[in-house]
Amino acid sequence: MAYSPSTPSPGAAFAVGSFPGAISEDSVFPRPPPPTPKGHMPLPAIADAALTALFDRMVLSPPVPVLRLGAPSRLTIRSSAIPLVSLDSPDLASLRAAGDVGYFHLVGHGIPSQLPSSALAELSRVDASAMRASILSTLGFSAEAEGVDAGVEPVMVFDVDELGMDALPAALEYARLMREVGMQVVGLFSGSGGVGFGEKPFAEEGGRKARCLVWVSKVGSGEPAVPPAAGDAKAYPYVLGLHCEWEQEAGASSWVMDDSGEWRAVGASEGALLVTIGDIAQVWSNGKLKKVRGMVRPTPAPGSDGEEGGEPARLSITVLITLPLDSVVSPLLPLSGAGEEGGDVEKEEKEVSEDGDENVGSFRPFSLESYAWGLHHDQLESKDPLAPYRI
């Protein structure tokens, strides 16, 4: 049925004043203002100018906000993005996330909460200056060839399997427990799923032996928000580094240098260990795992300059899972890719090289002894220490 414009549709309400220009009593539109009386006199010029100036200040001319950008810096805070791995219930996603950045927080490790403090208390009473020759010997260097000032980091280095820690029962227990945790983490990266090494590097049939070093450093003074100075820290090759942050201050308590050469501030997580992936692990994984260059650098404590009259300097302990000095480091092929005739080796290298990362690729074998000497004497910021060994 058709309707003409003048015929209302059935059921429709015909509003009064529906023609253009009219406003009904129930209209939602505001009424127009009443007409100005003819007898209305304009404001005096002085009042009009005052109102105009006030209006300009309040509405038309607000202060323009200025956006101030800080100076460009390579500092990147990544505390919110740190992967969390549980040793009790590890999952593949967290391991992959850890391998993508080179460091992660580890929970479920079982380290007693008071043991790190007891270990630090024992180590603080050791005369580090009298250990210079033994430190260099532990690292595989001779004191005569070094000519290094005794005050240069690290303060102390111990091999857990040697006799240097017999007089430090708490520190020795802490180091051995941390070694057990580190070996379990190595096992996590030795499983399937395309994460890590693809095989167990310390299996009895493999012939490799793990070495555990306790690396004790002094936490110097400085501004907490500033990365460590270039070239003032020593480093040593390792598979994994384990660092306890429970004794650190709140906030960003540690610094790591990622595989791209940027310092990153890492916030502490209550009850968690900070685990870093080292250069040996990156070679073993054929570049699938990102590494951290060197050891964790704790944030300086305010006033911990170690000078007379100031607060005594703190110590920091990092436990390193590494290899004997006479080892040869080379990529480990996954068990599924190591055929009897080695036919899948080229396939594995191709998959790695197509990741699109310039730092990913295969490595040629190299002597750990020569690499450790170069790493210990070079500045971490200069270049990727593994660059000469990439294919």
Side-chain angles (χ1 to χ4, degrees):
M1 176 179 180
Y3 299 94
S4 65
S6 60
T7 305
S9 59
F14 193 79
V16 178
S18 59
F19 56 88
I23 299 178
S24 68
E25 294 296 328
D26 299 328
S27 174
V28 297
F29 298 97
R31 294 177 178 273
T36 303
K38 293 182 179 181
H40 177 72
M41 298 298 294
L43 290 173
I46 297 178
D48 183 70
L51 288 175
T52 301
L54 178 62
F55 183 78
D56 289 342
R57 288 196 304 269
M58 297 179 60
V59 179
L60 299 182
S61 302
V64 179
V66 178
L67 178 62
R68 300 184 182 274
L69 298 177
S73 172
R74 301 194 72 188
L75 166 64
T76 305
I77 305 297
R78 291 293 299 273
S79 58
S80 61
I82 301 176
L84 181 66
V85 177
S86 173
L87 203 56
D88 292 332
S89 55
D91 61 276
L92 193 58
S94 61
L95 290 175
R96 285 179 175 171
D100 287 341
V101 297
Y103 52 91
F104 56 95
H105 279 140
L106 181 71
V107 296
H109 45 74
I111 302 295
S113 59
Q114 300 301 322
L115 188 56
S117 299
S118 301
L120 286 169
E122 288 183 348
L123 290 167
S124 65
R125 295 190 291 267
V126 177
D127 184 6
S129 61
M131 293 185 57
R132 179 172 177 269
S134 64
I135 291 172
L136 294 174
S137 176
T138 301
L139 296 177
F141 314 132
S142 65
E144 293 77 11
E146 289 304 299
V148 181
D149 184 14
V152 175
E153 287 188 321
V155 176
M156 293 174 281
V157 176
F158 300 93
D159 188 319
V160 176
D161 292 326
E162 295 179 355
L163 301 177
M165 301 187 72
D166 287 351
L168 307 169
L172 182 58
E173 181 184 1
Y174 173 71
R176 287 176 173 172
L177 289 177
M178 291 282 274
R179 176 174 59 182
E180 293 178 6
V181 172
M183 295 299 288
Q184 293 181 60
V185 176
V186 170
L188 296 182
F189 286 103
S190 305
S192 59
V195 178
F197 324 128
E199 69 175 54
K200 296 180 179 179
F202 297 121
E204 294 182 2
E205 60 273 14
R208 299 183 190 87
K209 180 181 178 181
R211 188 184 189 206
C212 181
L213 296 180
V214 179
W215 191 281
V216 184
S217 300
K218 182 182 295 183
V219 181
S221 61
E223 185 66 31
V226 177
D232 66 347
K234 296 297 181 179
Y236 197 81
Y238 62 92
V239 182
L240 293 175
L242 298 96
H243 184 77
C244 176
E245 298 181 305
W246 304 337
E247 298 298 323
Q248 310 300 334
E249 289 76 17
S253 60
S254 299
W255 291 92
V256 298
M257 178 179 284
D258 66 11
D259 202 9
S260 66
E262 291 186 351
W263 283 109
R264 298 183 182 270
V266 180
S269 179
E270 183 178 359
L273 299 175
L274 176 60
V275 181
T276 56
I277 298 174
D279 31 20
I280 297 177
Q282 187 177 58
V283 174
W284 279 355
S285 69
N286 243 336
K288 291 181 179 179
L289 297 178
K290 296 294 178 64
K291 69 175 179 295
V292 165
R293 300 189 193 180
M295 266 69 71
V296 172
R297 305 296 311 282
T299 295
S304 62
D305 51 13
E307 298 179 358
E308 186 175 355
E311 294 292 332
R314 294 185 294 117
L315 294 180
S316 171
I317 307 176
T318 298
V319 176
L320 304 178
I321 305 298
T322 182
L323 296 172
L325 204 60
D326 59 354
S327 302
V328 174
V329 183
S330 60
L332 303 180
L333 297 177
L335 294 176
S336 59
E340 295 181 359
E341 299 180 358
D344 291 335
V345 174
E346 294 183 359
K347 177 181 178 182
E348 172 66 20
E349 293 183 356
K350 181 179 180 181
E351 291 176 353
V352 173
S353 63
E354 289 178 351
D355 283 349
D357 192 330
E358 61 182 2
N359 290 326
V360 174
S362 297
F363 300 83
R364 63 172 181 267
F366 57 85
S367 165
L368 181 64
E369 183 176 4
S370 60
Y371 177 75
W373 192 93
L375 185 64
H376 188 263
H377 291 78
D378 193 18
Q379 293 184 359
L380 295 177
E381 291 81 353
S382 60
K383 62 179 180 179
D384 181 0
L386 284 177
Y389 306 98
R390 296 183 184 274
I391 297 177

